[in-house]
């Protein structure tokens, strides 16, 4: 028996990386999944591999119409919506006065923060029709502490953390729980040193680049998927408004590896 048997989930940013791992894990645990992304070719490949239990939709999280269609697809195809996992996000490096243009700042806010807001606003009425549900919002260690050179990303992830708590307060008695997860040091395309200048971390291999993590290694998307699975399932029925770190202990101490002078 799967831990999500009988549940229908909607996952954003599900075409690759952490989102793809969550889509696959939810399906493996018995859920029917509608997932969206702007990477249509990759998303369709994942859906084709998973079969009738997963449906891909084009989802630009900045567009209300895309969210409305994603929710409608879940109800039309699988009959209801029980779980929303807001996973889509982007990272833009830049300091306040030097190299962070307003357009780049707003792009991060619109995808990471407004996208989460729109997803919850679209999904909650469907969850109420289903008798309740669980919202899992992907924040970050940047939603707990600041990191030099990540102003836009940090602002957006603090906002996700705050919105999560408000929704938990507003909808808990209606049977909808809302929790945030805070990954840090996860091996995805967005965080690999070869693709982002993470505060001057060397472009050496991953093991060396993430050696500062107390557990001594980089985290894997499947590990984040396991945490999201717990919060989506009935096993976490008394978790509401929580913020849960999954960072290998990165924030357990006071050293900030990304700090810039």
């Amino acid at each position: 028996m799967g831990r999500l048997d009988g549940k229908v989930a909607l996952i954003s940013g599900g075409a690759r990386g952490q989102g793809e791992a969550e889509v696959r894990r939810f399906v493996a645990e018995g859920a029917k999944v509608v997932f969206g992304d702007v990477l249509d070719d990759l998303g369709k490949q994942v859906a084709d591999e998973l079969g009738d239990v997963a449906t891909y939709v084009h989802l630009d999280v900045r567009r209300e119409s895309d969210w409305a269609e994603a929710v409608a697809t879940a109800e039309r195809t699988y009959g209801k919506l029980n779980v929303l996992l807001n996973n889509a996000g982007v990272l833009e490096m830049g300091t306040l006065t030097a190299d962070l243009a307003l357009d780049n700042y707003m792009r991060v806010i619109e995808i990471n923060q407004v996208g989460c807001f729109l997803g919850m606003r679209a999904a909650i009425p469907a969850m109420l029709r289903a008798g309740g549900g669980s919202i899992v919002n992907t924040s970050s260690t940047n939603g707990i502490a600041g990191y030099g050179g990540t102003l836009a990303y940090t602002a957006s992830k603090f906002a996700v953390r705050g919105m999560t708590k408000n929704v938990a307060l507003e909808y808990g008695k209606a049977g909808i729980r809302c929790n945030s997860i805070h990954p840090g040091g996860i091996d995805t395309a967005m965080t690999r040193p070869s693709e982002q200048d993470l505060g001057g971390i060397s472009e050496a291999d991953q093991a060396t680049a993430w050696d500062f993590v107390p557990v001594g290694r980089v985290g894997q998307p499947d590990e984040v998927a396991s945490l999201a699975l717990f919060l989506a399932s009935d096993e976490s029925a008394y978790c509401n408004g929580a913020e849960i770190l999954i960072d290998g202990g990165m924030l357990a101490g006071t050293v900030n590896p990304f700090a810039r002078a």
Side-chain angles (χ1 to χ4, degrees):
M1 181 176 179
R3 295 161 69 187
L4 295 181
D5 279 356
K7 295 190 184 298
V8 177
L10 171 57
I11 300 175
S12 68
R16 67 173 184 176
Q18 194 168 284
E20 179 187 354
E22 290 161 343
V23 170
R24 293 183 182 278
R25 187 65 183 279
F26 278 33
V27 166
E29 290 291 346
K32 306 291 195 305
V33 178
V34 174
F35 68 103
D37 210 306
V38 294
L39 303 173
D40 293 334
D41 290 343
L42 293 177
K44 290 173 183 176
Q45 289 175 15
V46 173
D48 288 344
E49 290 177 25
L50 293 173
D52 293 342
V53 293
T55 299
Y56 176 78
V57 295
H58 180 84
L59 176 58
D60 182 337
V61 296
R62 299 168 293 183
R63 298 182 179 276
E64 288 187 85
S65 58
D66 282 10
W67 275 113
E69 179 57 28
V71 171
T73 297
E75 291 190 303
R76 183 172 59 246
T77 306
Y78 301 122
K80 59 181 178 177
L81 179 63
N82 310 108
V83 177
L84 170 66
L85 173 47
N86 275 310
N87 170 75
V90 294
L91 172 63
E92 179 78 31
M93 307 302 295
T95 57
L96 179 61
T97 59
D99 48 6
L100 182 60
L102 177 59
D103 286 348
N104 293 339
Y105 178 87
M106 291 306 301
R107 174 176 176 268
V108 174
I109 296 299
E110 288 171 0
I111 294 173
N112 295 2
Q113 176 181 338
V114 178
C116 179
F117 163 79
L118 292 176
M120 292 190 290
R121 190 162 72 170
I124 283 173
M127 289 184 172
L128 292 173
R129 289 191 288 272
S134 174
I135 298 171
V136 182
N137 289 328
T138 304
S139 180
S140 168
T141 49
N142 286 73
I144 303 292
Y147 295 94
T150 64
L151 190 148
Y153 188 73
T154 297
S156 70
K157 293 304 186 177
F158 263 84
V160 169
R161 177 186 173 200
M163 288 190 295
T164 296
K165 296 186 182 303
N166 264 63
V167 171
L169 291 170
E170 293 169 5
Y171 289 96
K173 287 186 172 63
I176 296 175
R177 299 180 293 109
C178 189
N179 298 284
S180 59
I181 59 177
H182 297 258
I186 307 300
D187 182 20
T188 66
M190 189 175 74
T191 61
R192 288 180 189 127
S194 60
E195 300 189 28
Q196 292 285 349
D197 171 23
L198 296 182
I201 291 178
S202 168
E203 290 190 12
D205 62 33
Q206 283 288 294
T208 301
W210 296 102
D211 192 52
F212 65 87
V213 178
V215 299
R217 63 175 177 84
V218 68
Q220 296 302 315
D222 284 343
E223 294 175 298
V224 181
S226 293
L227 176 57
L229 169 64
F230 168 70
L231 291 173
S233 76
D234 293 338
E235 297 166 13
S236 59
Y238 202 56
C239 295
N240 189 34
E243 53 192 52
I244 304 178
L245 282 163
I246 177 164
D247 68 345
M250 285 172 59
L251 296 190
T254 58
V255 176
N256 183 344
F258 299 129
R260 292 182 175 181

